[in-house]
Amino acid sequence: MTLFQLLVVAIIQGVTEFLPVSSSGHLILLPALTGTPDQGLAIDVAVHVGTLLAVVLYFRSDVRIAAGGLTRLVRGRIDTPGAFLALCLIIATIPALIVGHAIRVTGLDEAMRSVALIGWTMLVFGLVLYWADRFGATTRNAGDWTLKHAALMGLAQCLALIPGTSRSGITITAARQLGYGREGAAKLSMLMSIPVILASGAILSLDVIGQTNWALARDASIAAAFAFVAALGALVLMMRLLRSVSFTPYVIYRVILGLGLLIWAYA
């Protein structure tokens, strides 16, 4: 890939991974609408690594607490906030792993890579996000997370396996509907992304082991660096904006893009 192509793919992945606009949908649309070749699994792994590093860095204090709690959880102890957070993250991740594996082995992941489907999911789940954000209560913050809410958000996260839904979008939607404020909902969604990105990156890595070469390794390193910078910038911007702005701008973008894709697909 050229440097420009790597930059475009990395920025799209980095920016859209954490904004509620669907990174997978945008990456599928890129070759479908522009005619450029698919970036391939190795670059997919690289940009996932870049976004993972960004979210870990941004929420490093929470990650440190959860990592410390995980060691206690392994010993069967849930006696610290870190252990409880680690347990919540595990519970929130399990449904997506199970459903994702089922989709992968049945080949449905390839069947869902259509412009029309992405158009519908962009539109519908964008409106659902607006409804939850407009009418959802704001009585809870991230520190009020419960095992039940982690499970419910984990089930909602399964819908993100449909391209165009948006992992962050659907988990934020679920959190807002459960009464979490905007910043708290976004924080929980971002923390939930860490084990999911780790798992998906590990699975993709198994498919590219033994296929890499020095040129591809160089391209992957460049893509990871670009994705890291883009993701970190998107995270900082979104978390700051949520102090004074709702999710409506993202909804407007989703609705416009969704309608455009539907017109393009059915015209």
Side-chain angles (χ1 to χ4, degrees), residues 1-57:
M1 298 180 70
T2 66
L3 182 62
F4 177 73
Q5 289 174 316
L6 287 173
L7 179 62
V8 170
V9 170
I11 289 178
I12 289 176
Q13 168 67 23
V15 171
T16 60
E17 177 66 39
F18 301 120
L19 300 184
V21 295
S22 180
S23 60
S24 62
H26 281 78
L27 288 178
I28 292 172
L29 289 174
L30 181 63
L33 299 182
T34 64
T36 56
D38 188 272
Q39 63 272 9
L41 285 174
I43 302 301
D44 276 347
V45 172
V47 294
H48 274 77
V49 170
T51 54
L52 174 63
L53 293 176
V55 72
V56 168
L57 176 62

Side-chain angles (χ1 to χ4, degrees), residues 36-135:
T36 56
D38 188 272
Q39 63 272 9
L41 285 174
I43 302 301
D44 276 347
V45 172
V47 294
H48 274 77
V49 170
T51 54
L52 174 63
L53 293 176
V55 72
V56 168
L57 176 62
Y58 188 85
F59 292 105
R60 55 190 176 277
S61 61
D62 298 280
V63 172
R64 190 181 305 114
I65 291 171
L70 184 60
T71 60
R72 301 189 68 81
L73 187 61
V74 170
R75 295 198 296 267
R77 298 179 180 178
I78 315 175
D79 54 356
T80 65
F84 185 75
L85 176 58
L87 179 59
C88 284
L89 289 173
I90 291 172
I91 289 175
T93 304
I94 290 174
L97 295 182
I98 295 173
V99 176
H101 177 69
I103 290 176
R104 183 180 173 85
V105 297
T106 56
L108 286 175
D109 52 339
E110 291 298 323
M112 293 190 294
R113 296 172 67 90
S114 76
V115 174
L117 176 62
I118 295 173
W120 281 114
T121 51
M122 278 283 180
L123 177 61
V124 172
F125 287 109
L127 294 175
V128 172
L129 172 60
Y130 175 79
W131 179 81
D133 189 44
R134 175 68 176 80
F135 299 103

Side-chain angles (χ1 to χ4, degrees), residues 131-194:
W131 179 81
D133 189 44
R134 175 68 176 80
F135 299 103
T138 56
T139 56
R140 297 186 174 97
N141 56 46
D144 299 323
W145 212 20
T146 66
L147 294 178
K148 177 181 178 181
H149 290 173
L152 291 172
M153 291 176 66
L155 290 172
Q157 188 168 233
C158 294
L159 292 171
L161 295 167
I162 306 172
T165 301
S166 172
R167 192 211 61 80
S168 62
I170 197 64
T171 51
I172 288 172
T173 297
R176 289 291 293 115
Q177 184 60 29
L178 290 169
Y180 292 88
R182 292 186 181 113
E183 287 187 75
K187 180 178 181 178
L188 291 177
S189 174
M190 299 308 108
L191 290 176
M192 285 175 61
S193 75
I194 296 173

